Structure formats: C-alpha cells, structure tokens
Amino acid sequence: MVHTISGASVVVIAVVVWFLGSFITLRVPFLRRYSIPVAVTGGLLCSLVIMAVYYAFGITVEFDTELRDLLLLIFFSTIGLSAKLGLLKEGGKALAILVAAAAVLLILQNSTGVLLAMAFGAHPGYGLFGGSVSLAGGHGTAIAWGQVAEEAGLVAAAEVGIAFATFGLIAGGMIGGPLAERLIARNQIENGHGSEDAAARSKPAEPQKQNHLPPLSASLGTLLALALCVEAGDLVNQFLFSRGVTLPGFLTAMMVGIVIANLSEPLGFRLDPVAREQAAEISLQLFLAISLMSMQLWVLTDAVGEILLVLFAQMTLIALFGSWIVFRLMGRDYDAAVIVSGFAGLGMGATPVGIANMNAVTAKYGPSPKAFLVIPLVGAFFLDIVNALVIKTFLGMPFMQLP
C-alpha cells in the first residue's frame, strides 16, 4: 500500500524533521565534529522510521516533491546571486591553478566511480554518483542530478547519491587534518606567517550578527531577484532544449543569478546580503529535509558493501592527489599544506568541511591567509559550475546511454 503526503503537510513534517536533527546534533559530538548538516541528521532518521514502517506494515510512504524542486532552484539561484566577479580577482594565480586542479580531480573522481560501477556490473551512470556528483557536489547536487537520472531511468539514483554525499562529508572531515599533518612533518615545514596566536587574523572576519531583520524593501528585492532567476532560467532551458541541449534547471537558474549579481550594482540595484543568505539557508535546509526524509532506503540495502568500497577508493584518490599534485602546485610550503586539508574537505564533502579542516590545522600551527582566501572562493564560485560541466561531458559519452 502506498500513502502519499502532499501540500502543507510536507512543510510541517520537514520543519519538525529539521528541529529533530538540530536536537540530536547538539547532543552528539560526532555529528558536530564532522559538520553533518542538521537537515541530514533529521532527514535520515525520518527515512529510517519510514523504512521500518515499510518492513513492519508493508506501507510505502511517499512525499510530494513539487515544493522540493522549487526550493532547489531557489538555493542555486542564491549561489549565483553571491558570485561577484570582483572578489575573484583577489585570488590571483593561486586561485586559477587550484580551479584547474579541482577540474582534474573531478574528472578522476568520475573516472574512478564509473570504472568501479562497471566492475560491479552496474550501469556506469551510478559511478557518477560515486564520484563528483555526490562527493564534490554534496547533497544538493546529488539530489538535483539524481532527479535527472531517475527521470532518464536510473533507478534510485538520488538515494545512491545521498548515501555517498553523507559518507563523503564524514570522510572529508576525517582525512583533511591528517593529510596536512603528514605534509608538514614529512617536509619539515614551518609557518612563515607568525605565531599561532595570530591564527585568528588569517581567517575571514566573522560577519557581524544582525540584531534586526532586513528592511521589507530588501527582502522583496531579494524575492524579485530569485523569481527572475527561476523564471529566466526556465526560459533559457526551453531555448536550449529546442536546440537539442539539455541542462538541469538548477544550473541555468544559477547562471542567471551570476548575471544579475554582476549587473545589479552598475544598474543601481543593491542585493541585500542578509536577505540573500536567509533565503539560501531556508531553501537549502528545507530542500535537504524533504529530500532525505523521502528517501526509500530499503532499495540500497543490497549495495552497502559496494558503496563503502567506492568511498574508500575515492578517499585514497583525493589523499594522493592532494599530497602529490595540489601540495606541489601550491608551492610545497605551509600554506600549501593547509590548502590540501581544505581541498580534501571540498573534494569529499563541502566548503564548510574544508574550512573546518583548515581551522583545525591553523589552530595548532598558526595562520594561513592564502588558504583562507582561495579555498572558500573555489568552493563558493567555481566548484559547482566546473562540476556541472564535467558531469555533462561524462553523460554525453556513448557508454552512458541507458538501454
């Protein structure tokens, strides 16, 4: 028997799931240590309950995902609206080199995932979800591409992607610090930026907490910009589709956001950063909660061993790539070691994981201004765009076609 939940009930359950995840995360140090998102904790717990209901009573609980799809477009639109080209100039040569290295890593991640999927006798498309879709992309990208893949006939692609994204967050937090420690010890590196007391000065200044909500005009302006991203992105998609080019809606919405972000100031229209960040956080958290609580985990029980094996292979790949490629390209110095720790977090989990890794290293050895400039820029502006292009390239290969 199938029971479908839709309408306002989906929102109510998603908010309850988020608060449940917050309650659990505050009381479990392991979850805080590895930066597991609150919505992931609550959503996975909800999906476990739904799986128990399935096995105990034979009832399949399904959620209407129309709202989730809209939240996805809104979230990626906020990413585009934050991408100011002026900030990118500050990264200089190191930023360009690290973006190129990230592109190579994405290709290697997908190649590794595809080869292992084929070795297991699975469709190579699943290898992309064991590669950059879920690891470098994170939960949002895994779910977004999972929807596209499932519509094309790849069964349970979103569930597989979410599993890899969740384990990847943990793995990225576990290997970043040890990688930097090993590089510092092996190369007898000393920090040239000063004592560890100055570590805090190397990190981006904490944004001042807002004691008031943005004015109504700022909130409505942000809402207008987001609506334009979603609608204009859809028009761009229709135009491209009519010419035989298919892109996921979140990518075109993000591209429109980048255009609006860089035209707004010359046109005298200021996007309020507080309102934008609030929209990003709300849309992401609800999107993740709805996505994870609607997972049908029982379809993955036969593939747990394969998932862990692929994850171990990807951890080995990024450890070797960071130590032998990124470290050398970044100058083989202390900054390079810290960048490797952040790069491991980006490649296996998300930008917050990378920053958490660098915080741990600099708290012990001292500041690294270069690392705290380039890693957030790569994670915020480039990784999703380059990842989408790499994924699209792999999808166009002949062996990716579904029968």
Side-chain angles (χ1 to χ4, degrees), residues 243-282:
R243 282 155 178 77
V245 179
T246 303
L247 292 177
F250 74 87
L251 181 59
T252 50
M254 182 172 66
M255 294 296 186
V256 173
I258 293 173
V259 173
I260 293 176
N262 290 279
L263 291 179
S264 59
E265 289 188 6
L267 296 176
F269 177 73
R270 181 179 179 275
L271 294 170
D272 187 271
V274 177
R276 185 191 65 234
E277 290 168 9
Q278 287 177 337
E281 193 66 19
I282 292 172

Side-chain angles (χ1 to χ4, degrees), residues 222-301:
T222 300
L223 180 62
L224 173 62
L226 292 172
L228 288 173
C229 290
V230 172
E231 290 298 319
D234 183 59
L235 292 175
V236 171
N237 253 345
Q238 293 180 34
F239 173 80
L240 294 175
F241 182 77
S242 67
R243 282 155 178 77
V245 179
T246 303
L247 292 177
F250 74 87
L251 181 59
T252 50
M254 182 172 66
M255 294 296 186
V256 173
I258 293 173
V259 173
I260 293 176
N262 290 279
L263 291 179
S264 59
E265 289 188 6
L267 296 176
F269 177 73
R270 181 179 179 275
L271 294 170
D272 187 271
V274 177
R276 185 191 65 234
E277 290 168 9
Q278 287 177 337
E281 193 66 19
I282 292 172
S283 59
L284 176 62
Q285 295 301 323
L286 288 179
F287 167 74
L288 289 177
I290 295 173
S291 297
L292 278 104
M293 71 191 194
S294 61
M295 280 199 314
Q296 297 180 339
L297 290 176
W298 54 89
V299 304
L300 297 176
T301 53

Side-chain angles (χ1 to χ4, degrees), residues 76 129 132-135 137-148 157-165 287:
F76 276 97
F129 290 90
S132 74
V133 171
S134 305
L135 300 179
H139 288 87
T141 304
I143 296 168
W145 282 103
Q147 292 174 243
V148 175
E159 281 80 2
V160 172
I162 289 170
F164 275 111
F287 167 74

Side-chain angles (χ1 to χ4, degrees), residues 151-366:
E151 290 172 1
L154 207 61
V155 179
E159 281 80 2
V160 172
I162 289 170
F164 275 111
T166 301
F167 288 128
L169 279 173
I170 300 172
M174 291 175 62
I175 66 175
L179 272 177
E181 291 273 2
R182 180 173 178 273
L183 290 170
I184 291 171
R186 186 181 66 186
N187 295 278
Q188 299 181 337
I189 295 171
E190 293 184 0
N191 181 6
H193 298 297
S195 68
E196 66 179 73
D197 294 334
R201 293 197 295 271
S202 74
K203 303 173 186 177
E206 292 288 338
Q208 294 184 350
K209 293 185 177 180
Q210 300 292 322
N211 295 321
H212 57 82
L213 293 174
L216 180 60
S217 59
S219 298
L220 289 176
T222 300
L223 180 62
L224 173 62
L226 292 172
L228 288 173
C229 290
V230 172
E231 290 298 319
D234 183 59
L235 292 175
V236 171
N237 253 345
Q238 293 180 34
F239 173 80
L240 294 175
F241 182 77
S242 67
R243 282 155 178 77
V245 179
T246 303
L247 292 177
F250 74 87
L251 181 59
T252 50
M254 182 172 66
M255 294 296 186
V256 173
I258 293 173
V259 173
I260 293 176
N262 290 279
L263 291 179
S264 59
E265 289 188 6
L267 296 176
F269 177 73
R270 181 179 179 275
L271 294 170
D272 187 271
V274 177
R276 185 191 65 234
E277 290 168 9
Q278 287 177 337
E281 193 66 19
I282 292 172
S283 59
L284 176 62
Q285 295 301 323
L286 288 179
F287 167 74
L288 289 177
I290 295 173
S291 297
L292 278 104
M293 71 191 194
S294 61
M295 280 199 314
Q296 297 180 339
L297 290 176
W298 54 89
V299 304
L300 297 176
T301 53
D302 294 333
V304 172
E306 288 86 349
I307 289 174
L308 293 178
L309 181 59
V310 173
L311 185 68
F312 178 77
Q314 295 289 11
M315 290 173 65
T316 303
L317 169 64
I318 199 166
L320 293 174
F321 189 85
S323 298
W324 291 97
I325 304 299
V326 175
F327 182 65
R328 295 168 185 270
L329 289 176
M330 291 293 102
R332 299 172 58 92
D333 56 9
Y334 174 71
D335 286 325
V338 179
I339 287 173
V340 168
S341 71
F343 190 81
L346 289 182
M348 292 296 296
T351 304
V353 178
I355 293 175
N357 288 345
M358 295 192 299
N359 280 337
V361 176
T362 55
K364 182 176 181 179
Y365 293 103

